[in-house]
Amino acid sequence: MGLFSTKPVSAVINQPNGAQELTITVRGGYSPNKVAVKVGVLVRLTFDRQEEGDCTEYVVIDEYGINQQLPPFAKTTIEFTPTKVGTVPFHCGMGMVHGKIIVGA
Amino acid sequence: MREAVLKIGGMHCVSCATTIKRSLTKVGGVRSAGVNPATEEAVVEVEDNVTAESLKQAITSVGYSVVSQVWRTSSSGAVQPELERQQKQEEFKRRELERLWRKFVVGAVLSVPVLIGSYPSLVPFLEPSLLPYLLFVLTVPAQFWVGGQFLRSAWYAARARAATMDTLIALGTLTAFTFSAVVTFAPALFTSLGLAANLYYDVSAVINTLIVLGKYLEARAKSRANEAIKALLKLQAKTARVKRDGRFVDVPIEAVVVGDFIQVRPGEKVPVDGEVVEGHSSLDESLVTGESIPVEKTKGDSVVGATINTMGSFVFRATKVGSDTLLAHIIDLVERAQATRAPIQRLADKVSGVFVPVVMGIALLTFVVWWLWGPQPAFLFGLVNAIAVLIIACPCALGLATPTAIMVGTGRGATMGILIRNAETLESAGKITTIIFDKTGTLTEGKPVVTDLVPASGVSQVELLRVAASLEASSEHPLAGAIVAQAQERKLDLESVSDFTAVPGHGVTAKLKGGTYVLGNDKLMARQGVMVGGLAEQANALARAGKTVMHLALAQSPLGLVAVADTVKPEARRVVESLRRLGLEVLMVSGDRKLTAEAIGRELNLSGVLAEVLPERKAEVVRQLQAEGKRVAMVGDGINDAPALAQADVGIAMGSGTDVAMETAGITLLGGNLKNVPNSILLSRGTMRNIKQNLFWAFFYNVLGIPVAAGVLYPALGLLLNPIIASAAMAFSSIFVVFNSLRLKRIRLEGGETI
């Protein structure tokens, strides 16, 4: 039901070391659930999971082969480098909770 | 960048965690901090210059204490902290299990009287007008404490505008509870509208309890699914006997550094990877070879951490420690593989992604249709059936179907020395039609041995071998090595030769006790004018059998023949047979001459042989077979044939378990256990079959359950699904899937477990 999502796109914080970093809170959904990043630059997303229900136990980014377990009440960081411009969806293990990474030039 | 894991004392609630986290993040150099109230530990990621003291102070300043701390740098990540992390996760899971069990017990204690009380005729001694209030009091904790986790998760999801599995459970039970509560406290609200007013406290209490029980059983079964990693971690030695200041002292494994001299006594585990510098012993290397027969080790031999010293004491120099050891690599590989997703899962994802909203729609439709067109009391029929739809539809089983099977399948492989890179490999390995062996080191021993000694009349076998070996003693050719090794095995004394000349591609000549000897192929004999005469026929017969034949002659007179061949591994024939029984085309690719390769092909009963293939053309051979529509697995040592392994649909590297092989191959077979080739195929097929069973069950259950719950069978058969039965079915479907996956632990494979 992410269809009704009205949250704006969040920009990443560019670190001096060149990485694009952002923390996403996981609680029933992803907050923020839209992230804008630049193509070709390392992205480091930290998922701060503040719940224990089964649904959000994994975060999946099919396009980058990521399927990461998120232990409850802890932060887990994933890294990838976007290879092409476009929209990359990410979702929970069962595809019920959604987010988007918008890769720009 | 480093990471500290701090065990914190004095925590008693979730808000403590928030306080500690806030305090930690204020320390300069702290990049991130997470505090887990369940395990009572903080994981802090810091810049290298941050001290333990500053973190400790941040925690004590807000009123808590630091019980213990573990540091790890992002580059090391030794096996030991990994073990601790695992143990902590275990601990968290154990508490979670206890909590679920407690909830179930309380839920059951509340549910039984609620269930009985829902039939007033069973409790005639109770005042009927008080009964609803009693049931309400009993149900409140069942709905809000036992089922609290579903409500909380559903609430979070709702706030994030998402709908999850918990949404369905929460919606179903809350509807039953809320309706009953309104009937209890304001019955007029319904009766004035001409609606029947029934109580459904039992639906709320029993469903919450049953689903908690389901979660409990599921969690227990799931923890059994991941025992492989635990088994691997337990292999790691905890201490090492390291030479410090001239004496051997026991130190914790984390303190071992590269270059340390480590003593291993009989019965002890080798703590890290290294090279023997002193003493000799035999080691049980079943971890890396899959064979439990001990292997002799002496000075200069490499040893692998976690293998077991059987007898004898030795000292070795550590060459790899912590996360660089083979064991650490294996654990890492298995762990990563278990977390990958099989392509087949995308189907399940597509379904579950739209599942919840669709089910909510069906529930609403069910309610409306029953209310408008159903028999009296229509409103109640609609309500109960809508609840049944919400409850039975939970797609938990769909979510568990693939990952649990992958976890058990890859774990089972790891315990047998079969390392599967990811779920995708597992899926392709189950579908292959053709398997190609790179001959050397897979089907054959990879080193030639003397197979035949044919002396000319008047010459003894021993004499023939002695002279041939004496001539070859200073040659570096592999065939020469085979002859010398054979002489050594027979304990023959070799004689020294002079004027040694190697004739490349032909053989050697040398002087021995004044005579000029020639050892080499028929071309060399022709060149030297040797008349091989009667031996020629025997030479041809040996060559037809795939052997390399060398003639020995003194001046122009022949002394005999020495035949050398690469011998096939003793188990190779049976392995080929197993593979062919699995319906696979079994081929061998080799750089050998056609004759030699074909002889091996006949001996092993291969489907075909590709001879005289240069190493760099092996990938091309794979590509050609693929172009014919075949799905190809390539078995090789992973080093010389890496391109072919990469080209194949599934690359199977066997042998050393080297890093190179583990990086390129889809499947790595530790050690030289050839039986694991058919085992890999059996395991992959078994896992895929299991996943399909799981997915079928999960789909079938929903496809069947939802319409029945909605009441489609009512007009014809008068059949309706009580929401309580629906919840039992829902819990059962998840448990069924997990238990079905656990069956993979017992899938029939050849050869025993190594762990």
Side-chain angles (χ1 to χ4, degrees), chain B residues 481-510:
Chain B
I483 296 172
V484 175
Q486 176 76 5
Q488 278 167 350
E489 201 173 296
R490 296 202 190 182
K491 301 208 167 29
L492 301 181
D493 291 320
L494 303 186
E495 285 155 281
S496 53
V497 298
S498 57
D499 298 339
F500 175 87
T501 320
V503 187
H506 289 84
V508 299
T509 64

mmCIF file of all heavy atoms in Angstrom, chain B residues 481-510:
data_model
loop_
_atom_site.group_PDB
_atom_site.id
_atom_site.type_symbol
_atom_site.label_atom_id
_atom_site.label_comp_id
_atom_site.label_asym_id
_atom_site.label_seq_id
_atom_site.Cartn_x
_atom_site.Cartn_y
_atom_site.Cartn_z
ATOM 1 N N GLY B 481 59.874 -38.883 -13.247
ATOM 2 C CA GLY B 481 59.533 -38.930 -11.813
ATOM 3 C C GLY B 481 58.803 -40.221 -11.472
ATOM 4 O O GLY B 481 59.050 -40.835 -10.433
ATOM 5 N N ALA B 482 57.909 -40.661 -12.368
ATOM 6 C CA ALA B 482 57.138 -41.873 -12.119
ATOM 7 C C ALA B 482 58.048 -43.091 -12.044
ATOM 8 O O ALA B 482 57.891 -43.957 -11.176
ATOM 9 C CB ALA B 482 56.101 -42.062 -13.220
ATOM 10 N N ILE B 483 59.047 -43.122 -12.946
ATOM 11 C CA ILE B 483 59.961 -44.273 -12.984
ATOM 12 C C ILE B 483 60.844 -44.291 -11.737
ATOM 13 O O ILE B 483 61.018 -45.331 -11.086
ATOM 14 C CB ILE B 483 60.814 -44.229 -14.279
ATOM 15 C CG1 ILE B 483 59.895 -44.387 -15.493
ATOM 16 C CG2 ILE B 483 61.880 -45.318 -14.255
ATOM 17 C CD1 ILE B 483 60.588 -44.167 -16.826
ATOM 18 N N VAL B 484 61.364 -43.114 -11.372
ATOM 19 C CA VAL B 484 62.229 -43.026 -10.195
ATOM 20 C C VAL B 484 61.438 -43.401 -8.935
ATOM 21 O O VAL B 484 61.920 -44.151 -8.082
ATOM 22 C CB VAL B 484 62.852 -41.611 -10.081
ATOM 23 C CG1 VAL B 484 63.651 -41.473 -8.793
ATOM 24 C CG2 VAL B 484 63.735 -41.329 -11.285
ATOM 25 N N ALA B 485 60.220 -42.915 -8.863
ATOM 26 C CA ALA B 485 59.391 -43.206 -7.689
ATOM 27 C C ALA B 485 59.159 -44.709 -7.554
ATOM 28 O O ALA B 485 59.200 -45.268 -6.451
ATOM 29 C CB ALA B 485 58.050 -42.473 -7.796
ATOM 30 N N GLN B 486 58.947 -45.363 -8.703
ATOM 31 C CA GLN B 486 58.712 -46.808 -8.682
ATOM 32 C C GLN B 486 59.961 -47.552 -8.188
ATOM 33 O O GLN B 486 59.859 -48.492 -7.391
ATOM 34 C CB GLN B 486 58.344 -47.263 -10.107
ATOM 35 C CG GLN B 486 58.156 -48.752 -10.272
ATOM 36 C CD GLN B 486 56.807 -49.206 -9.700
ATOM 37 O OE1 GLN B 486 56.004 -48.384 -9.282
ATOM 38 N NE2 GLN B 486 56.595 -50.505 -9.648
ATOM 39 N N ALA B 487 61.133 -47.087 -8.629
ATOM 40 C CA ALA B 487 62.383 -47.714 -8.202
ATOM 41 C C ALA B 487 62.581 -47.525 -6.697
ATOM 42 O O ALA B 487 63.012 -48.442 -5.993
ATOM 43 C CB ALA B 487 63.552 -47.124 -8.983
ATOM 44 N N GLN B 488 62.250 -46.332 -6.244
ATOM 45 C CA GLN B 488 62.408 -46.054 -4.810
ATOM 46 C C GLN B 488 61.463 -46.930 -4.002
ATOM 47 O O GLN B 488 61.811 -47.427 -2.937
ATOM 48 C CB GLN B 488 62.135 -44.578 -4.525
ATOM 49 C CG GLN B 488 63.337 -43.700 -4.820
ATOM 50 C CD GLN B 488 62.985 -42.224 -4.848
ATOM 51 O OE1 GLN B 488 61.818 -41.854 -4.836
ATOM 52 N NE2 GLN B 488 64.013 -41.386 -4.874
ATOM 53 N N GLU B 489 60.269 -47.104 -4.534
ATOM 54 C CA GLU B 489 59.288 -47.920 -3.838
ATOM 55 C C GLU B 489 59.791 -49.358 -3.690
ATOM 56 O O GLU B 489 59.569 -50.005 -2.670
ATOM 57 C CB GLU B 489 57.980 -47.896 -4.630
ATOM 58 C CG GLU B 489 56.757 -48.261 -3.799
ATOM 59 C CD GLU B 489 55.500 -48.038 -4.609
ATOM 60 O OE1 GLU B 489 55.232 -46.866 -4.970
ATOM 61 O OE2 GLU B 489 54.819 -49.026 -4.913
ATOM 62 N N ARG B 490 60.483 -49.827 -4.720
ATOM 63 C CA ARG B 490 61.029 -51.191 -4.657
ATOM 64 C C ARG B 490 62.386 -51.218 -3.974
ATOM 65 O O ARG B 490 63.085 -52.233 -4.001
ATOM 66 C CB ARG B 490 61.155 -51.758 -6.068
ATOM 67 C CG ARG B 490 59.827 -51.922 -6.765
ATOM 68 C CD ARG B 490 59.962 -52.951 -7.859
ATOM 69 N NE ARG B 490 58.773 -52.975 -8.699
ATOM 70 C CZ ARG B 490 58.635 -53.826 -9.720
ATOM 71 N NH1 ARG B 490 59.605 -54.665 -10.015
ATOM 72 N NH2 ARG B 490 57.539 -53.810 -10.432
ATOM 73 N N LYS B 491 62.809 -50.056 -3.458
ATOM 74 C CA LYS B 491 64.090 -49.937 -2.731
ATOM 75 C C LYS B 491 65.288 -50.401 -3.569
ATOM 76 O O LYS B 491 66.150 -51.140 -3.097
ATOM 77 C CB LYS B 491 64.022 -50.710 -1.411
ATOM 78 C CG LYS B 491 62.905 -50.231 -0.482
ATOM 79 C CD LYS B 491 63.249 -50.477 0.947
ATOM 80 C CE LYS B 491 62.355 -49.762 1.929
ATOM 81 N NZ LYS B 491 60.981 -49.481 1.559
ATOM 82 N N LEU B 492 65.311 -49.982 -4.841
ATOM 83 C CA LEU B 492 66.438 -50.337 -5.713
ATOM 84 C C LEU B 492 67.526 -49.284 -5.564
ATOM 85 O O LEU B 492 67.224 -48.092 -5.424
ATOM 86 C CB LEU B 492 65.979 -50.390 -7.178
ATOM 87 C CG LEU B 492 64.857 -51.378 -7.504
ATOM 88 C CD1 LEU B 492 64.533 -51.333 -8.995
ATOM 89 C CD2 LEU B 492 65.253 -52.796 -7.085
ATOM 90 N N ASP B 493 68.795 -49.740 -5.593
ATOM 91 C CA ASP B 493 69.903 -48.781 -5.551
ATOM 92 C C ASP B 493 70.168 -48.297 -6.970
ATOM 93 O O ASP B 493 70.393 -49.104 -7.880
ATOM 94 C CB ASP B 493 71.156 -49.454 -4.998
ATOM 95 C CG ASP B 493 70.983 -49.773 -3.515
ATOM 96 O OD1 ASP B 493 70.404 -48.925 -2.816
ATOM 97 O OD2 ASP B 493 71.396 -50.877 -3.088
ATOM 98 N N LEU B 494 70.144 -46.983 -7.118
ATOM 99 C CA LEU B 494 70.381 -46.430 -8.455
ATOM 100 C C LEU B 494 71.873 -46.211 -8.654
ATOM 101 O O LEU B 494 72.611 -45.955 -7.703
ATOM 102 C CB LEU B 494 69.605 -45.124 -8.619
ATOM 103 C CG LEU B 494 68.100 -45.221 -8.396
ATOM 104 C CD1 LEU B 494 67.437 -43.895 -8.738
ATOM 105 C CD2 LEU B 494 67.493 -46.356 -9.231
ATOM 106 N N GLU B 495 72.272 -46.285 -9.924
ATOM 107 C CA GLU B 495 73.702 -46.072 -10.216
ATOM 108 C C GLU B 495 73.883 -44.712 -10.871
ATOM 109 O O GLU B 495 72.961 -44.206 -11.510
ATOM 110 C CB GLU B 495 74.187 -47.185 -11.132
ATOM 111 C CG GLU B 495 74.349 -48.491 -10.363
ATOM 112 C CD GLU B 495 74.229 -49.705 -11.250
ATOM 113 O OE1 GLU B 495 73.080 -50.081 -11.583
ATOM 114 O OE2 GLU B 495 75.274 -50.250 -11.615
ATOM 115 N N SER B 496 75.090 -44.160 -10.698
ATOM 116 C CA SER B 496 75.291 -42.821 -11.256
ATOM 117 C C SER B 496 75.686 -42.939 -12.732
ATOM 118 O O SER B 496 76.364 -43.881 -13.144
ATOM 119 C CB SER B 496 76.360 -42.062 -10.483
ATOM 120 O OG SER B 496 77.533 -42.818 -10.414
ATOM 121 N N VAL B 497 75.181 -41.978 -13.489
ATOM 122 C CA VAL B 497 75.405 -41.992 -14.931
ATOM 123 C C VAL B 497 76.266 -40.799 -15.324
ATOM 124 O O VAL B 497 76.422 -39.856 -14.556
ATOM 125 C CB VAL B 497 74.073 -41.945 -15.702
ATOM 126 C CG1 VAL B 497 73.237 -43.165 -15.392
ATOM 127 C CG2 VAL B 497 73.324 -40.652 -15.408
ATOM 128 N N SER B 498 76.818 -40.846 -16.534
ATOM 129 C CA SER B 498 77.569 -39.687 -17.026
ATOM 130 C C SER B 498 77.074 -39.350 -18.432
ATOM 131 O O SER B 498 76.356 -40.153 -19.050
ATOM 132 C CB SER B 498 79.062 -40.018 -17.046
ATOM 133 O OG SER B 498 79.283 -41.169 -17.834
ATOM 134 N N ASP B 499 77.485 -38.211 -18.913
ATOM 135 C CA ASP B 499 77.111 -37.748 -20.255
ATOM 136 C C ASP B 499 75.601 -37.798 -20.478
ATOM 137 O O ASP B 499 75.121 -38.245 -21.519
ATOM 138 C CB ASP B 499 77.807 -38.601 -21.344
ATOM 139 C CG ASP B 499 79.322 -38.486 -21.255
ATOM 140 O OD1 ASP B 499 79.763 -37.471 -20.659
ATOM 141 O OD2 ASP B 499 80.017 -39.391 -21.725
ATOM 142 N N PHE B 500 74.844 -37.341 -19.491
ATOM 143 C CA PHE B 500 73.386 -37.340 -19.595
ATOM 144 C C PHE B 500 72.932 -36.309 -20.635
ATOM 145 O O PHE B 500 73.345 -35.160 -20.592
ATOM 146 C CB PHE B 500 72.770 -37.021 -18.228
ATOM 147 C CG PHE B 500 71.281 -36.880 -18.263
ATOM 148 C CD1 PHE B 500 70.469 -38.001 -18.113
ATOM 149 C CD2 PHE B 500 70.684 -35.634 -18.441
ATOM 150 C CE1 PHE B 500 69.096 -37.865 -18.136
ATOM 151 C CE2 PHE B 500 69.323 -35.502 -18.472
ATOM 152 C CZ PHE B 500 68.524 -36.613 -18.308
ATOM 153 N N THR B 501 72.119 -36.723 -21.560
ATOM 154 C CA THR B 501 71.579 -35.787 -22.551
ATOM 155 C C THR B 501 70.077 -36.000 -22.661
ATOM 156 O O THR B 501 69.614 -37.129 -22.866
ATOM 157 C CB THR B 501 72.182 -36.044 -23.962
ATOM 158 O OG1 THR B 501 73.572 -36.333 -23.813
ATOM 159 C CG2 THR B 501 71.961 -34.860 -24.871
ATOM 160 N N ALA B 502 69.330 -34.918 -22.515
ATOM 161 C CA ALA B 502 67.880 -35.015 -22.713
ATOM 162 C C ALA B 502 67.585 -34.645 -24.157
ATOM 163 O O ALA B 502 68.097 -33.658 -24.672
ATOM 164 C CB ALA B 502 67.166 -34.064 -21.769
ATOM 165 N N VAL B 503 66.806 -35.464 -24.837
ATOM 166 C CA VAL B 503 66.396 -35.162 -26.205
ATOM 167 C C VAL B 503 64.933 -34.725 -26.118
ATOM 168 O O VAL B 503 64.047 -35.571 -26.002
ATOM 169 C CB VAL B 503 66.522 -36.413 -27.115
ATOM 170 C CG1 VAL B 503 66.266 -36.029 -28.565
ATOM 171 C CG2 VAL B 503 67.882 -37.073 -26.925
ATOM 172 N N PRO B 504 64.670 -33.418 -26.144
ATOM 173 C CA PRO B 504 63.307 -32.945 -25.877
ATOM 174 C C PRO B 504 62.271 -33.622 -26.763
ATOM 175 O O PRO B 504 62.478 -33.764 -27.960
ATOM 176 C CB PRO B 504 63.390 -31.445 -26.162
ATOM 177 C CG PRO B 504 64.825 -31.106 -25.984
ATOM 178 C CD PRO B 504 65.598 -32.322 -26.407
ATOM 179 N N GLY B 505 61.182 -34.059 -26.138
ATOM 180 C CA GLY B 505 60.100 -34.702 -26.876
ATOM 181 C C GLY B 505 60.400 -36.137 -27.268
ATOM 182 O O GLY B 505 59.571 -36.793 -27.877
ATOM 183 N N HIS B 506 61.556 -36.620 -26.906
ATOM 184 C CA HIS B 506 61.910 -37.980 -27.308
ATOM 185 C C HIS B 506 62.367 -38.866 -26.162
ATOM 186 O O HIS B 506 61.911 -39.982 -26.030
ATOM 187 C CB HIS B 506 63.010 -37.941 -28.383
ATOM 188 C CG HIS B 506 62.523 -37.434 -29.699
ATOM 189 N ND1 HIS B 506 62.446 -36.086 -29.986
ATOM 190 C CD2 HIS B 506 62.061 -38.091 -30.787
ATOM 191 C CE1 HIS B 506 61.958 -35.924 -31.193
ATOM 192 N NE2 HIS B 506 61.715 -37.143 -31.717
ATOM 193 N N GLY B 507 63.300 -38.376 -25.324
ATOM 194 C CA GLY B 507 63.804 -39.210 -24.237
ATOM 195 C C GLY B 507 65.169 -38.751 -23.782
ATOM 196 O O GLY B 507 65.496 -37.562 -23.901
ATOM 197 N N VAL B 508 65.959 -39.694 -23.300
ATOM 198 C CA VAL B 508 67.278 -39.338 -22.789
ATOM 199 C C VAL B 508 68.303 -40.380 -23.258
ATOM 200 O O VAL B 508 67.975 -41.530 -23.547
ATOM 201 C CB VAL B 508 67.313 -39.270 -21.241
ATOM 202 C CG1 VAL B 508 66.360 -38.206 -20.721
ATOM 203 C CG2 VAL B 508 66.995 -40.621 -20.613
ATOM 204 N N THR B 509 69.575 -39.963 -23.265
ATOM 205 C CA THR B 509 70.687 -40.911 -23.453
ATOM 206 C C THR B 509 71.722 -40.611 -22.376
ATOM 207 O O THR B 509 71.825 -39.471 -21.913
ATOM 208 C CB THR B 509 71.369 -40.766 -24.822
ATOM 209 O OG1 THR B 509 71.970 -39.468 -24.879
ATOM 210 C CG2 THR B 509 70.394 -40.937 -25.974
ATOM 211 N N ALA B 510 72.428 -41.658 -21.935
ATOM 212 C CA ALA B 510 73.461 -41.444 -20.928
ATOM 213 C C ALA B 510 74.393 -42.646 -20.910
ATOM 214 O O ALA B 510 74.071 -43.731 -21.409
ATOM 215 C CB ALA B 510 72.828 -41.243 -19.561
#
